[in-house]
Amino acid sequence: DVKVTQSSRYLVKRTGEKVFLECVQDMDHENMFWYRQDPGLGLRLIYFSYDVKMKEKGDIPEGYSVSREKKERFSLILESASTNQTSMYLCASTRFQASNQPQHFGDGTRLSIL
Amino acid sequence: QKEVEQNSGPLSVPEGAIASLNCTYSDRGSQSFFWYRQYSGKSPELIMFIYSNGDKEDGRFTAQLNKASQYVSLLIRDSQPSDSATYLCAVKADYGGSQGNLIFGKGTKLSVKP
């Protein structure tokens, strides 16, 4: 089974802090994704990566950055946290351009910015 | 703008009934279709995928795809209270450079009453 592990289930930070969310997958997947999920807005793609050191902006990249130094690890960075970044953050991974492969999700990180 | 539409619900069915969840998509080039189940406070988990027109059955679940009508559905037979969750429809377009991205609907909330 695919295992996608997010470093924290719950996280509380203060406005202005730099926040790191970590995600590790154990299936040698090429593609990794970061989403946020808010009530009524569904899943929104923040950033994705299809290879080490590669990154692409998703639909809502503002206020975020990412890092992919190793294939198995994809980090989401909130450069200066703000209260409107309070959300559930979900990491996912999948095989590269394999049309019949789903995305596999981690357990999510519920982030609160005070 | 590629879109995936779902009725937000809530869809309420009695225990033992058939629950029917529907999804339409805008991109005619879409090739792969996925249904995820998400319990409150949890991350999405894959329950079914379908690529070809017609029906695909897995236990109490049946996915139905009609590419001409750009419509995919999920039927849950003998619904149980444990099926109460939000069901997300996701669509992947297969074209050069897609890198495995999915487009998610906002989900339909299903409530199964004992």
Side-chain angles (χ1 to χ4, degrees):
Chain A
D1 275 356
V2 176
K3 183 68 175 175
V4 180
T5 302
Q6 293 185 231
S7 53
S8 304
R9 290 297 309 277
Y10 301 94
L11 205 54
V12 180
K13 296 291 182 181
R14 297 211 171 269
T15 303
E17 281 192 69
K18 191 168 186 176
V19 181
F20 294 84
L21 302 183
E22 306 287 344
C23 176
V24 177
Q25 49 91 8
D26 67 356
M27 283 301 292
D28 203 35
H29 284 171
E30 289 82 3
N31 293 7
M32 296 187 75
F33 306 82
W34 275 107
Y35 297 89
R36 63 177 284 177
Q37 188 175 34
D38 302 285
L41 297 178
L43 280 163
R44 292 184 289 168
L45 182 63
I46 304 171
Y47 267 96
F48 62 100
S49 169
Y50 51 88
D51 202 351
V52 176
K53 297 194 184 295
M54 303 300 287
K55 60 184 179 183
E56 294 284 345
K57 293 179 180 179
D59 300 318
I60 52 163
E62 296 79 17
Y64 303 94
S65 62
V66 291
S67 172
R68 187 132 182 235
E69 295 297 319
K70 294 185 178 182
K71 190 175 185 180
E72 67 270 20
R73 185 180 296 270
F74 192 35
S75 303
L76 179 69
I77 304 156
L78 285 65
E79 297 291 345
S80 178
S82 63
T83 55
N84 63 11
Q85 292 178 311
T86 292
S87 186
M88 169 73 102
Y89 288 87
L90 291 159
C91 175
S93 73
T94 190
R95 292 288 305 280
F96 179 64
Q97 284 191 333
S99 64
N100 62 346
Q101 296 300 307
Q103 290 185 12
H104 300 272
F105 286 86
D107 288 338
T109 296
R110 188 164 293 280
L111 175 64
S112 296
I113 307 296
L114 304 179
Chain B
Q1 180 79 359
K2 299 178 178 65
E3 294 182 339
V4 176
E5 299 286 343
Q6 294 182 256
N7 188 322
S8 63
L11 173 66
S12 184
V13 300
E15 184 174 356
I18 295 175
S20 178
L21 305 162
N22 305 315
C23 173
T24 59
Y25 58 95
S26 63
D27 183 7
R28 191 168 286 279
S30 300
Q31 296 293 327
S32 309
F33 307 86
F34 305 88
W35 283 99
Y36 287 83
R37 177 176 62 201
Q38 186 174 24
Y39 292 113
S40 181
K42 303 294 186 181
S43 65
E45 57 177 323
L46 179 74
I47 51 174
M48 286 206 70
F49 55 86
I50 187 167
Y51 316 120
S52 304
N53 275 329
D55 295 0
K56 179 181 178 183
E57 187 173 318
D58 184 0
R60 295 187 296 113
F61 298 96
T62 298
Q64 299 175 316
L65 176 60
N66 184 327
K67 289 185 179 179
S69 299
Q70 296 175 236
Y71 175 92
V72 58
S73 65
L74 179 70
L75 301 178
I76 307 174
R77 290 182 300 281
D78 188 24
S79 296
Q80 301 297 309
S82 58
D83 294 325
S84 297
T86 296
Y87 289 80
L88 304 177
C89 173
V91 174
K92 182 188 292 188
D94 285 338
Y95 54 88
S98 71
Q99 283 104 32
N101 289 16
L102 294 180
I103 302 169
F104 286 87
K106 292 182 179 179
T108 298
K109 187 171 184 178
L110 173 66
S111 178
V112 181
K113 303 295 186 185

